[in-house]
């Protein structure tokens, strides 16, 4: 339930209302917008007499929220969330450009790629240290060493780093990681999400292989319900009957999510298509459709990559792409 307060109110009136709502066992989330103050009521709101609250002279409006996600709901938080990551931001009109290899393979590899993507305008470096591979015999990532190498690349370039967590028992290794990625396969690992909700780290939450938009939002809600509001949503393609592409990129999730939530939306055209040649056009389309950023796999030697070489751009392809998407972004950001 949402209670919109009038500008003409006094602190005592509000605190009496807060005490009464809390006495019903509900939690309150205050949202101070530029134009209005909203109280988001969390819990079993069937106990609240809506007409009674509406009748209060300092209350402008009261609305029931049907959706099961509250913290992630735009009704609770009308303005876009802007998530701060190091000295860059995600959401609120900027274009986040996250790039790097699927997996961290060596110091030379990650540092060389980091320098090249930075020169092309990337705002963050990605790289998997813990890899969720379909086969147990495939390269599983350099694990702790991979995170150390990412930190070296961060030191050399100043780029914030994004890397995937697969098990909460590894959380201590992520202390200096700027953005923790929850991969598609873990989108509904609710215990992991709950624990990440207790941290204040930005979380890049990828949509599950066969998850609906509502399920993605409910997973974001798990993190936010624990107190961590720094959630970035990521569409990375979903399973369909199509086999030409690795997955099917659901770009219509951008307007759908934009309406439903205030959280930033990032598109991953690399895992969505699985084909390097398809990545540029899908990136153009994503930015034109209003995405807040792109996460793209870039490798200095795609043919010999230990993971996902076929979908990885070369540094020069990436350089060309960042110029194109920046040009598209500068046009579409002025659209209503
Ligand atoms: C990745 O980003 O390298 C990855 C494994 O992505 P996803 O979870 O989307 O498959
Ligand atoms: Mn990958």
């Amino acid at each position: 339930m949402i209670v919109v307060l009038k500008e003409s109110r006094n602190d005592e009136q509000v605190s009496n209302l807060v005490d009464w709502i809390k006495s019903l066992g509900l939690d309150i989330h205050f949202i101070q917008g530029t134009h209005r103050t909203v109280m988001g009521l969390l819990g079993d709101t069937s106990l609240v007499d809506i007409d009674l609250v509406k009748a209060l002279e300092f209350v402008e409006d009261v609305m029931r929220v049907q959706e099961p996600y509250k913290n992630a709901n735009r009704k609770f938080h009308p303005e876009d969330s802007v998530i701060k990551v190091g000295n860059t931001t995600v959401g609120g009109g900027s274009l986040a450009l996250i790039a790097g290899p699927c997996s961290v393979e060596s110091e030379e590899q990650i540092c060389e790629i980091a320098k090249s993507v930075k020169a092309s305008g990337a705002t963050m470096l990605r790289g998997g240290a813990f890899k969720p591979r379909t086969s147990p015999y495939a390269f599983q990532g350099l694990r702790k060493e991979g995170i150390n190498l990412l930190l070296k690349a961060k030191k050399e370039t100043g780029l914030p780093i994004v890397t995937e967590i697969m098990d909460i028992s590894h959380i201590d290794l992520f202390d200096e990681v700027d953005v923790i990625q929850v991969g598609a396969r873990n989108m509904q690992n609710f215990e992991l999400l709950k624990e990440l909700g207790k941290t204040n780290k930005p979380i890049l939450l990828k949509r599950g292989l066969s998850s609906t938009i509502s399920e993605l939002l409910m997973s974001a809600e798990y993190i936010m319900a624990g107190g961590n509001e720094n959630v970035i949503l990521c569409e990375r393609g979903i399973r369909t009957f199509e086999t030409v592409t690795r997955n099917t990129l659901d770009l219509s999730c951008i307007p759908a999510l934009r309406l439903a939530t205030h959280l930033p939306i990032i598109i991953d055209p690399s895992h969505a298509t699985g084909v390097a040649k398809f990545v540029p056009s899908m990136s153009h389309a994503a930015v034109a459709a209003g995405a807040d950023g792109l996460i793209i796999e870039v490798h200095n030697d795609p043919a010999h990559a230990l993971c996902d070489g076929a979908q990885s751009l070369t540094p020069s392809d990436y350089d060309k792409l960042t110029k194109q998407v920046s040009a598209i972004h500068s046009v579409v950001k002025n659209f209503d």
Side-chain angles (χ1 to χ4, degrees), residues 46-66:
S46 64
L47 302 166
V48 180
D49 182 338
I50 194 162
D51 295 324
L52 208 67
V53 182
K54 258 187 190 163
L56 295 169
E57 57 178 321
F58 59 99
V59 168
E60 193 170 293
D61 202 5
V62 184
M63 290 161 278
R64 286 211 182 270
V65 177
Q66 303 301 332

Side-chain angles (χ1 to χ4, degrees), residues 102 126 131-132 164 181 183-185 206 236 268 271 297:
C102 180
R126 65 147 289 148
K131 293 304 305 173
E164 178 169 351
Q181 175 174 318
R185 291 153 192 82
K206 289 190 139 195
R236 45 76 73 208
D268 174 348
H271 293 90
E297 288 188 343

Side-chain angles (χ1 to χ4, degrees), residues 79-96:
E79 282 155 39
D80 286 348
S81 276
V82 180
I83 312 239
K84 205 169 153 7
V85 181
N87 51 13
T88 185
T89 54
V90 186
S94 59
L95 184 67

Side-chain angles (χ1 to χ4, degrees), residues 10-21 30 39 58:
N10 64 48
D11 291 348
E12 196 190 336
Q13 289 171 317
V14 178
S15 98
N16 286 341
L17 179 61
V18 165
D19 289 346
W20 177 63
I21 291 166
F30 268 93
M39 288 166 71
F58 59 99

Side-chain angles (χ1 to χ4, degrees), residues 1 15 76 85 88 98 114 125 129 133 166 181 195 206 210 227 237 254 273 293 308 322:
M1 182 181 285
S15 98
F76 264 48
V85 181
T88 185
I98 309 170
L125 175 68
R133 305 302 300 276
M166 284 169 52
Q181 175 174 318
E195 289 299 321
K206 289 190 139 195
S210 302
I254 299 174
T273 63
D308 286 351
T322 54

Side-chain angles (χ1 to χ4, degrees), residues 15-268:
S15 98
N16 286 341
L17 179 61
V18 165
D19 289 346
W20 177 63
I21 291 166
K22 287 195 171 162
S23 74
L24 298 174
L26 301 174
D27 271 338
I28 306 173
H29 181 91
F30 268 93
I31 307 128
Q32 195 77 53
T34 28
H35 301 298
R36 55 185 202 165
T37 299
V38 169
M39 288 166 71
L41 274 49
L42 295 159
D44 181 6
T45 54
S46 64
L47 302 166
V48 180
D49 182 338
I50 194 162
D51 295 324
L52 208 67
V53 182
K54 258 187 190 163
L56 295 169
E57 57 178 321
F58 59 99
V59 168
E60 193 170 293
D61 202 5
V62 184
M63 290 161 278
R64 286 211 182 270
V65 177
Q66 303 301 332
E67 297 85 3
Y69 49 93
K70 310 290 178 194
N71 290 284
N73 202 314
R74 191 177 279 284
K75 288 180 190 152
F76 264 48
H77 190 298
E79 282 155 39
D80 286 348
S81 276
V82 180
I83 312 239
K84 205 169 153 7
V85 181
N87 51 13
T88 185
T89 54
V90 186
S94 59
L95 184 67
L97 293 173
I98 309 170
C102 180
S103 315
V104 180
E105 299 172 9
S106 67
E107 181 171 342
E108 300 70 53
Q109 177 243 19
I110 193 67
C111 289
E112 188 182 323
I113 298 171
K115 282 183 212 150
S116 82
V117 297
K118 181 173 182 181
S120 299
T123 54
M124 283 183 237
L125 175 68
R126 65 147 289 148
F130 291 90
K131 293 304 305 173
R133 305 302 300 276
T134 302
S135 164
Y137 308 117
F139 176 58
Q140 302 286 305
L142 296 180
R143 301 167 73 84
K144 182 172 188 244
E145 175 61 6
I147 293 185
N148 290 337
L149 297 180
L150 280 167
L151 291 170
K152 276 198 177 152
K154 174 181 172 177
K155 209 166 173 193
E156 282 200 24
T157 59
L159 288 178
I161 54 174
V162 182
T163 195
E164 178 169 351
I165 191 164
M166 284 169 52
D167 193 298
I168 200 64
S169 67
H170 302 150
I171 188 77
D172 290 346
L173 300 174
F174 287 70
D175 266 358
E176 293 173 73
V177 167
D178 299 281
V179 177
I180 301 180
Q181 175 174 318
V182 174
R185 291 153 192 82
N186 271 313
M187 189 203 85
Q188 286 192 319
N189 182 339
F190 300 120
E191 290 300 317
L192 178 63
L193 301 178
K194 280 191 227 170
E195 289 299 321
L196 292 173
K198 294 180 192 164
T199 74
N200 59 3
K201 290 263 186 208
I203 309 293
L204 181 79
L205 177 66
K206 289 190 139 195
R207 180 174 177 183
L209 279 71
S210 302
S211 298
T212 64
I213 288 172
S214 300
E215 287 165 343
L216 173 63
L217 289 167
M218 288 312 291
S219 290
E221 191 72 17
Y222 259 95
I223 299 168
M224 298 176 88
N228 184 358
E229 306 207 325
N230 301 311
V231 181
I232 302 162
L233 303 172
C234 179
E235 155 67 24
R236 45 76 73 208
I238 47 173
R239 278 276 165 90
T240 68
F241 49 79
E242 186 52 71
T243 54
V244 168
T245 46
R246 184 174 177 184
N247 292 288
T248 296
L249 179 58
D250 176 15
L251 280 185
S252 55
C253 80
I254 299 174
L257 284 169
R258 194 64 83 210
L259 198 67
T261 183
H262 52 90
L263 297 174
I265 308 153
I266 297 282
I267 299 295
D268 174 348

